[in-house]
Amino acid sequence: MTSLDKPTEDTDQTPPGASGEGDARAVTEAALFEAFGGVRGMVETVVPGLLFVAIFTVNKDLHLSAIAALAVSLVLVVVRLAMKDTVKHAFSGVFGVVFGVVFAMFTGNAKDFYLPGMLYTLGLALAYIVTTLAGVPLIGLILGPVFKENLSWRTRNPGRKKAYAKASWAWGLILLAKCAILFPLYWWSDTTRLGWVLVALKIPPFLLAVWLTWVFLAKAPAPIDVFAEMEAEERAEKEREAALAAEGGDPAPGRHRRQA
């Protein structure tokens, strides 16, 4: 068992590397903002689909709508690059638009522009639920590195693992509810109605899931900063070696025996 997964004896105490309650809330807000892209990330998610359905509503031109959506996605990436900002959210939007354009162009059905994103949403909902049932909630895998706790929450911070499980259930059920609305519209409604409903459902479910995640994590024990722990261990080891060297001892006991 590694130091990152070693269980703690007293789960009621504040874990090593944890900060106060106010600091924990601030860290949670900052981490959620970073992980999910903030306001700009939401804009980059909505704009391509909004442009597609707006143009298609006016002239029913699949090609023009698809090209416009793809072009604006590329512009968003270029803006990110020009500002030397992180591009992961913009790139994810481009990939989604590219798949949508390919599907729609291949089938000739404008509704298929939305199909890859809908399938991704369904798969993500199932991933949240399945990983939670397996004891490794997906939201913990996503946010663990952001909080610098990696997987320490699995065995060393049970209260935090419980919060991650609640948050993953929230994400899974919210996304499933979204799919329950969109897929019937895909089969039985026209492209324009599906597009506008999909645009309308982009932000509210997302904000609800993020807010619930913040609520659960804000009440949970603070994350264990495993990176700070490892750095502290390295400093302590160097200090021990320096002390032994100053006393004339062997800074690494057993080294010569292994070489012999």
PDB file of all heavy atoms in Angstrom, residues 52 61-68 70 97-113:
ATOM      1  N   PHE A  52     -25.508  27.324 -35.410  1.00  0.00           N
ATOM      2  CA  PHE A  52     -26.025  26.325 -36.344  1.00  0.00           C
ATOM      3  C   PHE A  52     -27.551  26.385 -36.427  1.00  0.00           C
ATOM      4  O   PHE A  52     -28.133  26.468 -37.517  1.00  0.00           O
ATOM      5  CB  PHE A  52     -25.581  24.925 -35.921  1.00  0.00           C
ATOM      6  CG  PHE A  52     -26.088  23.823 -36.804  1.00  0.00           C
ATOM      7  CD1 PHE A  52     -25.342  23.391 -37.888  1.00  0.00           C
ATOM      8  CD2 PHE A  52     -27.323  23.212 -36.567  1.00  0.00           C
ATOM      9  CE1 PHE A  52     -25.805  22.375 -38.722  1.00  0.00           C
ATOM     10  CE2 PHE A  52     -27.800  22.202 -37.384  1.00  0.00           C
ATOM     11  CZ  PHE A  52     -27.038  21.784 -38.468  1.00  0.00           C
ATOM     12  N   ASP A  61     -30.408  25.741 -44.670  1.00  0.00           N
ATOM     13  CA  ASP A  61     -29.218  25.341 -45.433  1.00  0.00           C
ATOM     14  C   ASP A  61     -28.265  24.592 -44.506  1.00  0.00           C
ATOM     15  O   ASP A  61     -27.598  25.187 -43.662  1.00  0.00           O
ATOM     16  CB  ASP A  61     -28.532  26.582 -46.014  1.00  0.00           C
ATOM     17  CG  ASP A  61     -27.423  26.223 -46.990  1.00  0.00           C
ATOM     18  OD1 ASP A  61     -26.791  25.157 -46.818  1.00  0.00           O
ATOM     19  OD2 ASP A  61     -27.179  27.006 -47.927  1.00  0.00           O
ATOM     20  N   LEU A  62     -28.205  23.265 -44.663  1.00  0.00           N
ATOM     21  CA  LEU A  62     -27.371  22.438 -43.799  1.00  0.00           C
ATOM     22  C   LEU A  62     -25.903  22.787 -43.942  1.00  0.00           C
ATOM     23  O   LEU A  62     -25.180  22.922 -42.952  1.00  0.00           O
ATOM     24  CB  LEU A  62     -27.597  20.957 -44.128  1.00  0.00           C
ATOM     25  CG  LEU A  62     -26.624  19.965 -43.496  1.00  0.00           C
ATOM     26  CD1 LEU A  62     -26.666  20.041 -41.981  1.00  0.00           C
ATOM     27  CD2 LEU A  62     -26.945  18.542 -43.982  1.00  0.00           C
ATOM     28  N   HIS A  63     -25.434  22.941 -45.178  1.00  0.00           N
ATOM     29  CA  HIS A  63     -24.014  23.193 -45.409  1.00  0.00           C
ATOM     30  C   HIS A  63     -23.565  24.524 -44.801  1.00  0.00           C
ATOM     31  O   HIS A  63     -22.532  24.605 -44.140  1.00  0.00           O
ATOM     32  CB  HIS A  63     -23.711  23.157 -46.913  1.00  0.00           C
ATOM     33  CG  HIS A  63     -23.863  21.805 -47.523  1.00  0.00           C
ATOM     34  ND1 HIS A  63     -25.094  21.285 -47.878  1.00  0.00           N
ATOM     35  CD2 HIS A  63     -22.940  20.849 -47.825  1.00  0.00           C
ATOM     36  CE1 HIS A  63     -24.918  20.076 -48.384  1.00  0.00           C
ATOM     37  NE2 HIS A  63     -23.630  19.783 -48.362  1.00  0.00           N
ATOM     38  N   LEU A  64     -24.341  25.578 -45.037  1.00  0.00           N
ATOM     39  CA  LEU A  64     -23.984  26.884 -44.493  1.00  0.00           C
ATOM     40  C   LEU A  64     -23.993  26.863 -42.967  1.00  0.00           C
ATOM     41  O   LEU A  64     -23.096  27.414 -42.311  1.00  0.00           O
ATOM     42  CB  LEU A  64     -24.946  27.949 -45.018  1.00  0.00           C
ATOM     43  CG  LEU A  64     -24.713  29.382 -44.516  1.00  0.00           C
ATOM     44  CD1 LEU A  64     -23.322  29.863 -44.909  1.00  0.00           C
ATOM     45  CD2 LEU A  64     -25.785  30.317 -45.055  1.00  0.00           C
ATOM     46  N   SER A  65     -24.986  26.220 -42.390  1.00  0.00           N
ATOM     47  CA  SER A  65     -25.085  26.141 -40.933  1.00  0.00           C
ATOM     48  C   SER A  65     -23.899  25.395 -40.348  1.00  0.00           C
ATOM     49  O   SER A  65     -23.301  25.823 -39.353  1.00  0.00           O
ATOM     50  CB  SER A  65     -26.392  25.446 -40.535  1.00  0.00           C
ATOM     51  OG  SER A  65     -27.519  26.127 -41.049  1.00  0.00           O
ATOM     52  N   ALA A  66     -23.536  24.273 -40.976  1.00  0.00           N
ATOM     53  CA  ALA A  66     -22.426  23.465 -40.466  1.00  0.00           C
ATOM     54  C   ALA A  66     -21.104  24.206 -40.590  1.00  0.00           C
ATOM     55  O   ALA A  66     -20.275  24.194 -39.664  1.00  0.00           O
ATOM     56  CB  ALA A  66     -22.369  22.146 -41.231  1.00  0.00           C
ATOM     57  N   ILE A  67     -20.884  24.851 -41.734  1.00  0.00           N
ATOM     58  CA  ILE A  67     -19.629  25.588 -41.934  1.00  0.00           C
ATOM     59  C   ILE A  67     -19.513  26.742 -40.941  1.00  0.00           C
ATOM     60  O   ILE A  67     -18.432  27.006 -40.384  1.00  0.00           O
ATOM     61  CB  ILE A  67     -19.554  26.107 -43.380  1.00  0.00           C
ATOM     62  CG1 ILE A  67     -19.399  24.914 -44.341  1.00  0.00           C
ATOM     63  CG2 ILE A  67     -18.398  27.083 -43.547  1.00  0.00           C
ATOM     64  CD1 ILE A  67     -19.487  25.292 -45.798  1.00  0.00           C
ATOM     65  N   ALA A  68     -20.600  27.434 -40.703  1.00  0.00           N
ATOM     66  CA  ALA A  68     -20.576  28.554 -39.762  1.00  0.00           C
ATOM     67  C   ALA A  68     -20.257  28.067 -38.353  1.00  0.00           C
ATOM     68  O   ALA A  68     -19.458  28.697 -37.632  1.00  0.00           O
ATOM     69  CB  ALA A  68     -21.917  29.278 -39.785  1.00  0.00           C
ATOM     70  N   LEU A  70     -18.615  25.349 -37.483  1.00  0.00           N
ATOM     71  CA  LEU A  70     -17.218  24.917 -37.437  1.00  0.00           C
ATOM     72  C   LEU A  70     -16.280  26.119 -37.438  1.00  0.00           C
ATOM     73  O   LEU A  70     -15.277  26.146 -36.704  1.00  0.00           O
ATOM     74  CB  LEU A  70     -16.920  24.018 -38.632  1.00  0.00           C
ATOM     75  CG  LEU A  70     -15.513  23.420 -38.700  1.00  0.00           C
ATOM     76  CD1 LEU A  70     -15.221  22.610 -37.446  1.00  0.00           C
ATOM     77  CD2 LEU A  70     -15.369  22.554 -39.946  1.00  0.00           C
ATOM     78  N   VAL A  97     -18.051  19.743 -32.624  1.00  0.00           N
ATOM     79  CA  VAL A  97     -18.631  20.329 -33.837  1.00  0.00           C
ATOM     80  C   VAL A  97     -18.194  19.552 -35.071  1.00  0.00           C
ATOM     81  O   VAL A  97     -19.001  19.295 -35.977  1.00  0.00           O
ATOM     82  CB  VAL A  97     -18.231  21.815 -33.961  1.00  0.00           C
ATOM     83  CG1 VAL A  97     -18.666  22.379 -35.309  1.00  0.00           C
ATOM     84  CG2 VAL A  97     -18.862  22.624 -32.830  1.00  0.00           C
ATOM     85  N   VAL A  98     -16.919  19.153 -35.129  1.00  0.00           N
ATOM     86  CA  VAL A  98     -16.420  18.392 -36.290  1.00  0.00           C
ATOM     87  C   VAL A  98     -17.199  17.092 -36.444  1.00  0.00           C
ATOM     88  O   VAL A  98     -17.639  16.742 -37.546  1.00  0.00           O
ATOM     89  CB  VAL A  98     -14.911  18.104 -36.134  1.00  0.00           C
ATOM     90  CG1 VAL A  98     -14.463  17.062 -37.158  1.00  0.00           C
ATOM     91  CG2 VAL A  98     -14.116  19.390 -36.314  1.00  0.00           C
ATOM     92  N   PHE A  99     -17.378  16.365 -35.349  1.00  0.00           N
ATOM     93  CA  PHE A  99     -18.133  15.111 -35.422  1.00  0.00           C
ATOM     94  C   PHE A  99     -19.573  15.377 -35.857  1.00  0.00           C
ATOM     95  O   PHE A  99     -20.142  14.619 -36.648  1.00  0.00           O
ATOM     96  CB  PHE A  99     -18.112  14.396 -34.071  1.00  0.00           C
ATOM     97  CG  PHE A  99     -16.859  13.630 -33.819  1.00  0.00           C
ATOM     98  CD1 PHE A  99     -16.001  13.988 -32.786  1.00  0.00           C
ATOM     99  CD2 PHE A  99     -16.512  12.546 -34.612  1.00  0.00           C
ATOM    100  CE1 PHE A  99     -14.832  13.286 -32.550  1.00  0.00           C
ATOM    101  CE2 PHE A  99     -15.346  11.832 -34.385  1.00  0.00           C
ATOM    102  CZ  PHE A  99     -14.495  12.206 -33.350  1.00  0.00           C
ATOM    103  N   GLY A 100     -20.152  16.450 -35.326  1.00  0.00           N
ATOM    104  CA  GLY A 100     -21.517  16.783 -35.721  1.00  0.00           C
ATOM    105  C   GLY A 100     -21.625  17.117 -37.193  1.00  0.00           C
ATOM    106  O   GLY A 100     -22.559  16.671 -37.878  1.00  0.00           O
ATOM    107  N   VAL A 101     -20.680  17.891 -37.703  1.00  0.00           N
ATOM    108  CA  VAL A 101     -20.669  18.241 -39.124  1.00  0.00           C
ATOM    109  C   VAL A 101     -20.511  16.997 -39.987  1.00  0.00           C
ATOM    110  O   VAL A 101     -21.211  16.823 -40.993  1.00  0.00           O
ATOM    111  CB  VAL A 101     -19.544  19.254 -39.413  1.00  0.00           C
ATOM    112  CG1 VAL A 101     -19.350  19.429 -40.916  1.00  0.00           C
ATOM    113  CG2 VAL A 101     -19.871  20.598 -38.764  1.00  0.00           C
ATOM    114  N   VAL A 102     -19.592  16.116 -39.607  1.00  0.00           N
ATOM    115  CA  VAL A 102     -19.370  14.882 -40.377  1.00  0.00           C
ATOM    116  C   VAL A 102     -20.629  14.033 -40.413  1.00  0.00           C
ATOM    117  O   VAL A 102     -21.029  13.538 -41.483  1.00  0.00           O
ATOM    118  CB  VAL A 102     -18.187  14.089 -39.789  1.00  0.00           C
ATOM    119  CG1 VAL A 102     -18.110  12.699 -40.418  1.00  0.00           C
ATOM    120  CG2 VAL A 102     -16.886  14.841 -39.999  1.00  0.00           C
ATOM    121  N   PHE A 103     -21.279  13.855 -39.270  1.00  0.00           N
ATOM    122  CA  PHE A 103     -22.500  13.062 -39.221  1.00  0.00           C
ATOM    123  C   PHE A 103     -23.580  13.671 -40.106  1.00  0.00           C
ATOM    124  O   PHE A 103     -24.245  12.973 -40.879  1.00  0.00           O
ATOM    125  CB  PHE A 103     -23.004  12.967 -37.772  1.00  0.00           C
ATOM    126  CG  PHE A 103     -22.508  11.764 -37.028  1.00  0.00           C
ATOM    127  CD1 PHE A 103     -21.162  11.604 -36.747  1.00  0.00           C
ATOM    128  CD2 PHE A 103     -23.385  10.786 -36.598  1.00  0.00           C
ATOM    129  CE1 PHE A 103     -20.696  10.504 -36.062  1.00  0.00           C
ATOM    130  CE2 PHE A 103     -22.930   9.678 -35.906  1.00  0.00           C
ATOM    131  CZ  PHE A 103     -21.580   9.536 -35.636  1.00  0.00           C
ATOM    132  N   ALA A 104     -23.775  14.981 -39.953  1.00  0.00           N
ATOM    133  CA  ALA A 104     -24.848  15.635 -40.702  1.00  0.00           C
ATOM    134  C   ALA A 104     -24.580  15.605 -42.202  1.00  0.00           C
ATOM    135  O   ALA A 104     -25.488  15.354 -43.005  1.00  0.00           O
ATOM    136  CB  ALA A 104     -25.005  17.078 -40.213  1.00  0.00           C
ATOM    137  N   MET A 105     -23.334  15.844 -42.608  1.00  0.00           N
ATOM    138  CA  MET A 105     -22.993  15.832 -44.025  1.00  0.00           C
ATOM    139  C   MET A 105     -23.129  14.421 -44.606  1.00  0.00           C
ATOM    140  O   MET A 105     -23.566  14.235 -45.747  1.00  0.00           O
ATOM    141  CB  MET A 105     -21.562  16.350 -44.231  1.00  0.00           C
ATOM    142  CG  MET A 105     -21.380  17.819 -43.895  1.00  0.00           C
ATOM    143  SD  MET A 105     -22.308  18.907 -45.007  1.00  0.00           S
ATOM    144  CE  MET A 105     -21.657  20.512 -44.517  1.00  0.00           C
ATOM    145  N   PHE A 106     -22.746  13.426 -43.834  1.00  0.00           N
ATOM    146  CA  PHE A 106     -22.785  12.046 -44.317  1.00  0.00           C
ATOM    147  C   PHE A 106     -24.215  11.565 -44.525  1.00  0.00           C
ATOM    148  O   PHE A 106     -24.522  10.890 -45.517  1.00  0.00           O
ATOM    149  CB  PHE A 106     -22.061  11.131 -43.326  1.00  0.00           C
ATOM    150  CG  PHE A 106     -22.025   9.695 -43.743  1.00  0.00           C
ATOM    151  CD1 PHE A 106     -21.155   9.260 -44.732  1.00  0.00           C
ATOM    152  CD2 PHE A 106     -22.863   8.762 -43.148  1.00  0.00           C
ATOM    153  CE1 PHE A 106     -21.131   7.929 -45.130  1.00  0.00           C
ATOM    154  CE2 PHE A 106     -22.847   7.435 -43.527  1.00  0.00           C
ATOM    155  CZ  PHE A 106     -21.971   7.015 -44.526  1.00  0.00           C
ATOM    156  N   THR A 107     -25.097  11.895 -43.590  1.00  0.00           N
ATOM    157  CA  THR A 107     -26.480  11.417 -43.679  1.00  0.00           C
ATOM    158  C   THR A 107     -27.384  12.375 -44.439  1.00  0.00           C
ATOM    159  O   THR A 107     -28.455  11.980 -44.897  1.00  0.00           O
ATOM    160  CB  THR A 107     -27.063  11.209 -42.273  1.00  0.00           C
ATOM    161  OG1 THR A 107     -27.123  12.472 -41.587  1.00  0.00           O
ATOM    162  CG2 THR A 107     -26.217  10.236 -41.472  1.00  0.00           C
ATOM    163  N   GLY A 108     -26.968  13.642 -44.540  1.00  0.00           N
ATOM    164  CA  GLY A 108     -27.827  14.635 -45.163  1.00  0.00           C
ATOM    165  C   GLY A 108     -28.975  15.081 -44.283  1.00  0.00           C
ATOM    166  O   GLY A 108     -29.862  15.817 -44.728  1.00  0.00           O
ATOM    167  N   ASN A 109     -28.947  14.670 -43.021  1.00  0.00           N
ATOM    168  CA  ASN A 109     -30.007  15.027 -42.078  1.00  0.00           C
ATOM    169  C   ASN A 109     -29.435  16.027 -41.078  1.00  0.00           C
ATOM    170  O   ASN A 109     -28.496  15.714 -40.333  1.00  0.00           O
ATOM    171  CB  ASN A 109     -30.497  13.773 -41.349  1.00  0.00           C
ATOM    172  CG  ASN A 109     -31.681  14.061 -40.432  1.00  0.00           C
ATOM    173  OD1 ASN A 109     -32.038  15.212 -40.196  1.00  0.00           O
ATOM    174  ND2 ASN A 109     -32.298  13.007 -39.915  1.00  0.00           N
ATOM    175  N   ALA A 110     -29.987  17.214 -41.031  1.00  0.00           N
ATOM    176  CA  ALA A 110     -29.449  18.267 -40.165  1.00  0.00           C
ATOM    177  C   ALA A 110     -29.523  17.885 -38.689  1.00  0.00           C
ATOM    178  O   ALA A 110     -28.692  18.322 -37.892  1.00  0.00           O
ATOM    179  CB  ALA A 110     -30.207  19.577 -40.415  1.00  0.00           C
ATOM    180  N   LYS A 111     -30.497  17.064 -38.305  1.00  0.00           N
ATOM    181  CA  LYS A 111     -30.608  16.660 -36.902  1.00  0.00           C
ATOM    182  C   LYS A 111     -29.384  15.877 -36.434  1.00  0.00           C
ATOM    183  O   LYS A 111     -29.054  15.870 -35.247  1.00  0.00           O
ATOM    184  CB  LYS A 111     -31.875  15.825 -36.680  1.00  0.00           C
ATOM    185  CG  LYS A 111     -33.139  16.639 -36.651  1.00  0.00           C
ATOM    186  CD  LYS A 111     -34.297  15.870 -36.052  1.00  0.00           C
ATOM    187  CE  LYS A 111     -34.723  14.716 -36.950  1.00  0.00           C
ATOM    188  NZ  LYS A 111     -35.950  14.078 -36.409  1.00  0.00           N
ATOM    189  N   ASP A 112     -28.699  15.230 -37.370  1.00  0.00           N
ATOM    190  CA  ASP A 112     -27.539  14.430 -36.997  1.00  0.00           C
ATOM    191  C   ASP A 112     -26.356  15.290 -36.570  1.00  0.00           C
ATOM    192  O   ASP A 112     -25.373  14.756 -36.035  1.00  0.00           O
ATOM    193  CB  ASP A 112     -27.138  13.520 -38.157  1.00  0.00           C
ATOM    194  CG  ASP A 112     -28.121  12.375 -38.346  1.00  0.00           C
ATOM    195  OD1 ASP A 112     -28.842  12.060 -37.379  1.00  0.00           O
ATOM    196  OD2 ASP A 112     -28.181  11.806 -39.451  1.00  0.00           O
ATOM    197  N   PHE A 113     -26.434  16.591 -36.800  1.00  0.00           N
ATOM    198  CA  PHE A 113     -25.409  17.488 -36.268  1.00  0.00           C
ATOM    199  C   PHE A 113     -25.351  17.388 -34.748  1.00  0.00           C
ATOM    200  O   PHE A 113     -24.278  17.526 -34.144  1.00  0.00           O
ATOM    201  CB  PHE A 113     -25.706  18.926 -36.696  1.00  0.00           C
ATOM    202  CG  PHE A 113     -24.797  19.946 -36.075  1.00  0.00           C
ATOM    203  CD1 PHE A 113     -23.517  20.165 -36.576  1.00  0.00           C
ATOM    204  CD2 PHE A 113     -25.208  20.702 -34.979  1.00  0.00           C
ATOM    205  CE1 PHE A 113     -22.673  21.107 -36.002  1.00  0.00           C
ATOM    206  CE2 PHE A 113     -24.376  21.642 -34.402  1.00  0.00           C
ATOM    207  CZ  PHE A 113     -23.096  21.851 -34.921  1.00  0.00           C
TER     208      PHE A 113
END
